[in-house]
Every structure is written in C-alpha cells, then in structure tokens.
Amino acid sequence: MIFIYSDEDARLNDSIKSYVEKAAQLALASELDIASDIEARLSDVEYCESCLAAEFPVELSITVVDAEEIRSINAEFRGIDKTTDVLSFPQHESIEDLAYEIEDALEEGTVFNPMLGDVVLCYDRACEQAEEYGTGVERELVYLTVHSIFHLLGYDHMEEDEKAEMRAREEAVMTAIGLARQ
C-alpha cells in the first residue's frame, strides 16, 4: 500500500505511522480474503505476517487537521456544522469494485494505483477522546484511522448489528497490531 500523509504540524510520528500502515494492510487483506471470519484470521500470527508481506497497489490518503478545519469539512461535505473525530471519503462503491481494480492493476503491471479513499483525522478530538477513554493519543489516532478504513471498505454503524460487526473488525485489527483495548 502507498500512504499519502498530510500533516503540517507533524503530529503523526513514525510509531503512529507504523501502526497505521500495519492496521491498514491487515484490514484490507482480511477483507479481500473472505474465506473465514476476520477475528479468527487476525488472531493467527502466520496469517498476519503473510498479510503484512502482501503488496497491494492501493493508495490511502491520511490528513490530520484541527477542530476548526474538520468542522468546516464536515459542514461542506455532510451538511453537519459540528466537529467530529474522523471523516472517511471512500473512492469505491464496494469492496468488490476495489478488488477488481486491484486485480487489474496487478495483472497489467501499471503504475496506476487504485485509491482506497481519504481519511481526515481531527487531532484535537483524538486528544480529547484519548483523555476521556484513558487510551493515549497514539492508540486513539490509530483506532480512528482503523475505524475510518472500515468505513472506506463499506462498513457502517447506523444499526446495532452493523455497529457490532464493525467494532469486532476494528478490535480484531487493533489486537493483531498489539493495541488491544485494555
């Protein structure tokens, strides 16, 4: 995967980027491999190592902004004039559409890389939530990114059953990268 970071104040340190990149790789690989449930796959160390070694010609954009900027983006794109912790802008209708693009890129050996989407993180909200939940800023930023990636992969949490499925996937990835909830 190719990661494109926009973080003018350098708030995403190398450790956070490393966790984010591992999490994104695991989330994408496990979603493209639909042979069994994600929790079982991601608890298997060998499976995780093979996912991390896989090369996906996919780009992911991650932008870090302050509370004022995310409020503005939220108002412009969602019609909600409110600060939020993370916004997700998928570039595909479904994971199947993305899978076809990845397959085409691999077969053709093109320099074109399909874009998974854009993640916009609010650093201010992440800090507030880290304090509120007692998780630490690093874990909160990684969790918000994982949460956003699952939105980019087509998951939502509007209904309780959807929320439970999405949370299970998020926690499986967080556990696999060593950032399980304490």
Side-chain angles (χ1 to χ4, degrees):
M1 288 184 74
I2 298 168
F3 296 85
I4 303 163
Y5 294 98
S6 178
D7 180 16
E8 291 178 8
D9 295 330
R11 294 164 285 206
L12 296 182
N13 62 38
D14 289 341
S15 176
I16 293 171
K17 289 178 182 178
S18 176
Y19 279 122
V20 161
E21 292 168 12
K22 287 177 188 173
Q25 185 84 0
L26 289 173
L28 180 59
S30 64
E31 287 303 310
L32 292 173
D33 174 12
I34 56 172
S36 60
D37 74 283
I38 189 172
E39 292 88 358
R41 289 191 309 262
L42 292 180
S43 64
D44 179 346
V45 173
E46 287 182 21
Y47 178 82
C48 289
E49 288 173 354
S50 70
C51 288
L52 293 173
E55 292 192 25
F56 295 105
V58 176
E59 294 183 10
L60 175 64
S61 167
I62 301 173
T63 303
V64 182
V65 298
D66 61 22
E68 182 180 320
E69 189 167 355
I70 206 160
R71 179 180 179 168
S72 173
I73 295 168
N74 203 16
E76 180 179 348
F77 290 97
R78 296 179 62 224
I80 301 172
D81 189 15
K82 182 178 169 185
T83 299
T84 189
D85 51 9
V86 64
L87 292 169
S88 310
F89 298 97
Q91 300 298 312
H92 298 277
E93 291 294 318
S94 68
I95 187 68
E96 292 82 13
D97 289 346
L98 177 62
Y100 290 131
E101 273 200 57
I102 291 170
E103 189 176 315
D104 286 347
L106 288 171
E107 285 176 5
E108 295 172 15
T110 64
V111 294
F112 165 74
N113 293 307
M115 176 62 99
L116 177 58
D118 300 288
V119 173
V120 182
L121 296 166
C122 179
Y123 188 79
D124 301 334
R125 278 298 291 143
C127 291
E128 291 168 8
Q129 289 173 183
E131 188 172 324
E132 179 182 340
Y133 303 136
T135 59
V137 175
E138 181 173 85
R139 186 193 187 281
E140 189 65 20
L141 286 166
V142 174
Y143 172 77
L144 292 173
T145 305
V146 169
H147 177 83
S148 185
I149 288 168
F150 278 108
H151 277 305
L152 297 176
L153 292 170
Y155 290 89
D156 210 340
H157 46 81
M158 299 306 285
E159 303 294 328
E160 282 303 314
D161 59 330
E162 293 174 337
K163 182 178 181 177
E165 182 178 3
M166 188 170 173
R167 293 293 182 264
R169 291 174 183 283
E170 292 166 353
E171 289 304 322
V173 168
M174 294 297 287
T175 298
I177 63 170
L179 290 178
R181 210 179 277 207
Q182 301 298 326

